[in-house]
């Protein structure tokens, strides 16, 4: 399957934080031909193991996405909701959504809301119901919804919901498919509940006890008009080797090693310095007595909106660099 097609398939799966099972099942199916062992731990992390006699290396990409959760059904049939992860009210006005059972709706703004001070309390979901009773036949409190926008090509770029972080899951699956033999003991971990505080990565790393770890995730590309210059990454600049974000300062030896591998393989790369946000690396590096940790990032515009954007050349560069690290002598 072509890389874009794999991304499109993964982004379409319902999998907000806490409900990653369908994503996990799809990934396990793709990974099975390339794995020595596959298991799921108590938290729900999917662990794909390729056995080796060398150092234990953990690659991590989170499966979960941000999402909405129904909290209250009004007499009119409108659905009030809360958030799973970093949902910002102004980013989701008039966006179509779908619940796991297929119920469709749209995010709408209360007519009395102050547009300049919009919060999630000012929003509701219109699912086409004309009464509370009719709505409850479709949606109950606790049911989750995700954005129903499409995954499309935009020139050499991709526009889609939930590139954060299904695109990185596609990267790790591509590494499994294309990598050569390696002496390293490799764990490809697809984690849960990253958007709620790096929860899955914390328990997975504790169980695996890696010697080295790389978190693969998106990073904010601050190259759009009027963007806050909170990061160094740009679309089209290649894979972004993480230096730091608000959750981690990467081990300097890993930054050097990844940069050397990129240069040796003629893989386009840039350094990723981000003053906000975090990845699984923040939890992994603090495991037990510490793990030598870094990150390989995919520059992404409009993170945590229903229309995130990445460039396919950057995605492929991430595949190439992750594979080079998996194969290298450590």
């Amino acid at each position: 399957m072509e890389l874009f097609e794999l991304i499109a398939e993964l982004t379409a799966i319902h999998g907000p934080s806490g409900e990653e099972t369908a994503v996990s099942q799809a990934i396990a199916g793709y990974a099975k031909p390339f794995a020595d062992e596959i298991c799921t731990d108590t938290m729900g992390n999917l662990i794909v193991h390729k056995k080796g006699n060398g150092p234990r290396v953990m690659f991590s990409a989170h499966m979960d996405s941000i999402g909405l959760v129904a909290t209250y059904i009004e007499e009119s049939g409108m659905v009030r909701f809360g958030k799973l992860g970093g949902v910002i009210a102004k980013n989701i006005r008039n966006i179509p959504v779908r619940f796991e059972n297929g119920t469709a709706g749209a995010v709408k703004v209360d007519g009395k809301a102050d547009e300049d001070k919009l919060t999630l309390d000012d929003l509701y979901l219109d699912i086409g119901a004309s009464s509370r009773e009719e709505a409850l036949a479709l949606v109950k409190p606790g049911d989750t919804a995700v954005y129903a926008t499409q995954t499309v090509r935009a020139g050499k770029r991709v526009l889609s919901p939930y590139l954060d972080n299904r695109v990185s899951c596609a990267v790790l699956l591509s590494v499994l498919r294309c990598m050569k033999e390696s002496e390293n003991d490799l764990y490809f971990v697809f984690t849960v509940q990253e958007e709620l505080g790096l929860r899955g990565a914390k328990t997975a790393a504790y169980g695996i006890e890696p010697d080295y770890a790389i978190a693969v995730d998106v990073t904010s590309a601050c190259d759009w008009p009027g963007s806050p210059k909170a990061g160094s990454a740009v679309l089209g600049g290649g894979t972004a080797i993480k230096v730091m974000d608000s959750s981690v300062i990467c081990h300097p030896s890993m930054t050097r090693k990844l940069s050397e591998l990129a240069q040796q393989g003629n893989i386009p790369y840039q350094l990723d310095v981000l003053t906000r946000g975090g990845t699984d690396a923040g939890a992994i590096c603090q495991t037990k007595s510490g793990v030598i940790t870094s990150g390989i990032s995919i520059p992404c515009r409009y993170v945590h909106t229903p229309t995130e954007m990445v460039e396919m050349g950057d995605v492929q560069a991430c595949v190439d660099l992750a594979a080079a690290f998996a194969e290298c002598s450590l």
Side-chain angles (χ1 to χ4, degrees):
M1 179 181 289
E2 186 192 36
L3 184 53
F4 169 77
E5 294 172 343
L6 180 57
I7 293 168
E9 181 168 330
L10 293 179
T11 54
I13 302 173
H14 185 96
S17 297
E19 295 186 352
E20 300 92 346
T21 300
V23 185
S24 177
Q25 291 173 342
I27 291 172
Y30 283 117
K32 185 176 181 179
F34 311 103
D36 294 316
E37 294 177 337
I38 298 181
C39 68
T40 302
D41 67 12
T42 303
M43 281 287 289
N45 299 303
L46 179 69
I47 302 171
V48 180
H49 188 194
K50 284 184 70 70
K51 295 180 180 179
N53 297 318
R56 191 171 295 176
V57 180
M58 174 179 171
F59 289 92
S60 175
H62 70 89
M63 297 183 287
D64 63 312
S65 70
I66 60 174
L68 314 178
V69 56
T71 57
Y72 181 78
I73 313 298
E74 296 189 344
E75 291 300 326
S76 64
M78 303 305 176
V79 181
R80 296 290 180 170
F81 63 90
K83 64 178 182 176
L84 294 169
V87 177
I88 300 173
K90 67 179 182 179
N91 290 339
I92 62 171
R93 289 173 294 189
N94 301 315
I95 291 297
V97 300
R98 66 174 185 275
F99 284 84
E100 188 174 17
N101 65 5
T103 297
V107 180
K108 294 298 176 180
V109 181
D110 190 305
K112 297 179 181 179
D114 182 345
E115 289 276 354
D116 294 328
K117 299 178 181 178
L118 206 62
T119 71
L120 292 183
D121 291 337
D122 298 316
L123 306 179
Y124 61 90
L125 302 179
D126 189 337
I127 59 171
S130 58
S131 67
R132 187 170 193 270
E133 182 180 19
E134 187 178 339
L136 282 169
L138 299 170
V139 172
K140 293 178 174 57
D143 288 350
T144 58
V146 296
Y147 307 140
T149 45
Q150 300 298 307
T151 299
V152 296
R153 288 186 182 272
K156 56 187 176 181
R157 295 170 176 171
V158 176
L159 193 66
S160 175
Y162 304 128
L163 291 170
D164 179 14
N165 189 37
R166 306 289 167 71
V167 66
S168 298
C169 295
V171 165
L172 290 191
L173 286 171
S174 297
V175 172
L176 277 164
R177 183 170 54 190
C178 77
M179 66 172 290
K180 301 173 184 176
E181 292 300 315
S182 173
E183 289 298 315
N184 299 318
D185 196 26
L186 301 173
Y187 290 80
F188 294 84
V189 185
F190 301 87
T191 61
V192 298
Q193 297 187 43
E194 188 268 358
E195 298 290 0
L196 301 182
L198 319 181
R199 296 175 182 177
K202 182 177 181 179
T203 60
Y206 192 93
I208 293 170
E209 296 185 76
D211 299 302
Y212 302 89
I214 291 180
V216 185
D217 207 330
V218 301
T219 188
S220 292
C222 298
D223 58 353
W224 46 275
S227 67
K229 303 306 179 187
S232 58
V234 298
L235 260 64
T239 180
I241 299 171
K242 186 168 290 295
V243 175
M244 64 162 284
D245 58 34
S246 64
S247 73
V248 67
I249 296 176
C250 294
H251 201 284
S253 66
M254 290 286 276
T255 304
R256 288 193 296 270
K257 182 68 173 178
L258 289 168
S259 298
E260 290 168 0
L261 288 170
Q263 292 166 12
Q264 292 166 7
N266 292 317
I267 301 167
Y269 78 98
Q270 54 192 307
L271 296 180
D272 178 25
V273 182
L274 190 64
T275 60
R276 60 182 68 171
T279 70
D280 281 344
I284 297 169
C285 71
Q286 300 178 72
T287 300
K288 294 190 174 181
S289 60
V291 178
I292 299 173
T293 304
S294 188
I296 295 175
S297 303
I298 303 158
C300 182
R301 287 180 186 163
Y302 324 124
V303 174
H304 282 194
T305 76
T307 51
E308 298 172 331
M309 179 181 283
V310 299
E311 183 158 323
M312 287 302 298
D314 297 337
V315 179
Q316 184 60 54
C318 288
V319 173
D320 296 340
L321 185 55
F325 189 85
E327 296 163 5
C328 77
S329 296
L330 295 169

